[in-house]
């Protein structure tokens, strides 16, 4: 009988806007698609974007779509893989996920006292810059209760690192400002043991996948029993916003880091 690998899968997405931390808020929906999962025997950590997985072994490959905001912390979800064949005696220290950059998110984040930026189902990307080159518009609400009540499912795309367009309206058809976006968990000053060590989002519109490295909560040495992977997570700060036009209540809204704690047990 196959021993399945069980996980609560979570990942971290980051957008660093104008080299400053944007404000964050909760996501009540955060839909991702995972295409590959690897375990690593080591991580060289040669830079803030290094996602090298030493001693890589693939424990899941295909397509798994799930809403990480709908699963209780600590819950185990059977994945699209099993751990049969892991070499006994090998110690794993890190995990690497490959994910598509297409997301569905529902939530809001306060950027200013009079702008609670919430997701909007009509919000889309700029046709010239494409879906991976656009920071999409949200809708400013006057208070948290209204933002919570009016938040809608929004299809979002994690941008590449480089020059992207800032959408002035949900339709993103008017002339808009552009700016340079980088993706660095380290620069954001978060606890990398919980939010990820590095994220590679590519540097062009042709990059449709992203890669992220996590440190396991403790090293795991393979025994005779196929292991389970538990990832407790939280999406309380998984949405980010930036009110770029205070006079006209215009805001950008985009994915931020869910928190993850990865533990492997027999």
């Amino acid at each position: 009988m196959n021993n399945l690998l069980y996980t609560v899968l979570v990942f971290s997405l980051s957008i660093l806007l104008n080299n400053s931390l944007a404000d964050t808020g909760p996501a009540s929906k955060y839909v991702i698609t995972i295409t590959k999962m690897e375990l690593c025997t080591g991580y060289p950590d040669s830079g803030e974007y290094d996602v090298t997985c030493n001693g890589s072994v693939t424990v899941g490959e295909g397509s798994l779509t799930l809403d990480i905001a709908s699963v209780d912390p600590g819950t185990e979800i059977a994945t699209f893989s099993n751990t049969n064949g892991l070499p006994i005696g090998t110690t794993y220290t890190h995990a690497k996920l490959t994910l598509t950059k297409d997301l569905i998110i529902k939530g809001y984040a306060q950027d200013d006292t009079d702008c609670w930026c919430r997701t909007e189902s009509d919000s889309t990307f700029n046709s010239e810059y494409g879906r991976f080159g656009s920071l999409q518009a949200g809708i400013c609400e006057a208070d948290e209760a209204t933002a919570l009540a009016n938040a809608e499912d929004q299809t979002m795309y994690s941008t590449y690192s480089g020059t992207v367009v800032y959408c002035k309206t949900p339709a993103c058809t008017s002339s808009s400002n552009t700016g340079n976006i980088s993706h660095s968990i380290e620069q954001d000053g978060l606890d990398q043991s919980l939010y990820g060590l590095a994220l590679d989002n590519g540097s062009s519109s042709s990059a449709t996948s992203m890669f992220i490295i996590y440190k396991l909560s403790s090293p795991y040495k393979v025994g005779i029993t196929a292991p389970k992977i538990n990832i407790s997570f939280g999406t309380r700060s998984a949405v980010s916003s930036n009110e770029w036009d205070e006079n006209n209540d215009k805001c950008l809204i985009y994915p931020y880091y869910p928190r993850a704690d990865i533990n492997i047990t027999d």
Side-chain angles (χ1 to χ4, degrees):
M1 184 176 78
N2 287 339
N3 291 301
L4 292 179
L5 171 68
Y6 291 91
T7 66
V8 171
L9 294 165
V10 72
F11 73 104
S12 301
L13 292 179
S14 160
I15 292 176
L16 186 65
L17 182 59
N18 290 337
N19 295 317
S20 63
L21 289 177
D23 295 303
T24 62
S28 58
K29 176 178 283 189
Y30 207 117
V31 178
I32 65 172
T33 299
I34 299 155
T35 59
K36 189 175 184 179
M37 183 174 186
E38 303 164 75
L39 294 180
C40 319
T41 58
Y43 173 56
D45 195 12
S46 64
E48 58 190 333
Y49 304 109
D50 180 17
V51 290
T52 302
C53 179
N54 289 344
S56 170
V57 58
T58 299
V59 292
E61 194 164 19
S63 181
L64 177 65
T65 299
L66 66 157
D67 179 5
I68 62 173
S70 69
V71 183
D72 292 333
T75 300
E76 295 177 347
I77 299 178
T79 71
F80 56 152
S81 67
N82 68 64
T83 54
N84 286 335
L86 287 179
I88 294 175
T90 302
T91 298
Y92 294 101
T93 56
H94 296 78
K96 179 179 179 179
L97 295 184
T98 302
L99 311 106
T100 68
K101 294 168 65 174
D102 304 77
L103 314 166
I104 298 175
I105 294 178
K106 181 179 181 180
Y108 63 89
Q110 183 186 21
D111 187 73
D112 203 347
T113 55
D114 60 351
C115 180
W116 293 77
C117 191
R118 52 96 172 165
T119 51
E120 165 61 40
S121 60
D122 291 336
S123 187
T124 189
F125 55 86
N126 181 277
S127 59
E128 178 183 357
Y129 282 80
R131 67 189 195 275
F132 301 129
S134 304
L135 287 187
Q136 293 171 251
I139 300 295
C140 278
E141 301 287 9
D143 54 66
E144 183 176 14
T146 305
L148 175 62
N150 292 342
E152 300 174 350
D153 291 4
Q154 180 172 334
T155 301
M156 292 186 184
Y157 311 93
S158 186
T159 64
Y160 51 75
S161 296
T163 301
V164 302
V165 66
Y166 301 165
C167 294
K168 288 185 175 180
T169 64
C172 202
T173 54
S174 59
S175 60
S176 301
N177 298 329
T178 59
N180 187 62
I181 296 297
S182 62
H183 299 264
S184 175
I185 299 170
E186 182 177 341
Q187 287 184 23
D188 273 6
L190 299 177
D191 185 342
Q192 291 178 273
S193 66
L194 295 176
Y195 293 91
L197 298 177
L199 172 69
D200 177 10
N201 239 31
S203 58
S204 71
S205 59
S206 62
T208 59
S209 295
M210 57 186 139
F211 312 91
I212 188 164
I213 288 283
Y214 292 101
K215 183 178 181 180
L216 303 181
S217 59
S218 60
Y220 175 78
K221 185 175 182 179
V222 179
I224 61 173
T225 303
K228 297 178 181 179
I229 300 181
N230 298 295
I231 309 181
S232 59
F233 67 92
T235 57
R236 181 176 293 181
S237 60
V239 179
S240 194
S241 71
N242 184 279
E243 186 183 13
W244 62 271
D245 186 345
E246 296 181 2
N247 295 326
N248 295 303
D249 289 333
K250 302 290 186 181
C251 64
L252 305 171
I253 193 161
Y254 39 89
Y256 207 60
Y257 306 97
R259 174 173 171 163
D261 183 18
I262 304 177
N263 182 45
I264 301 182
T265 59
D266 290 330

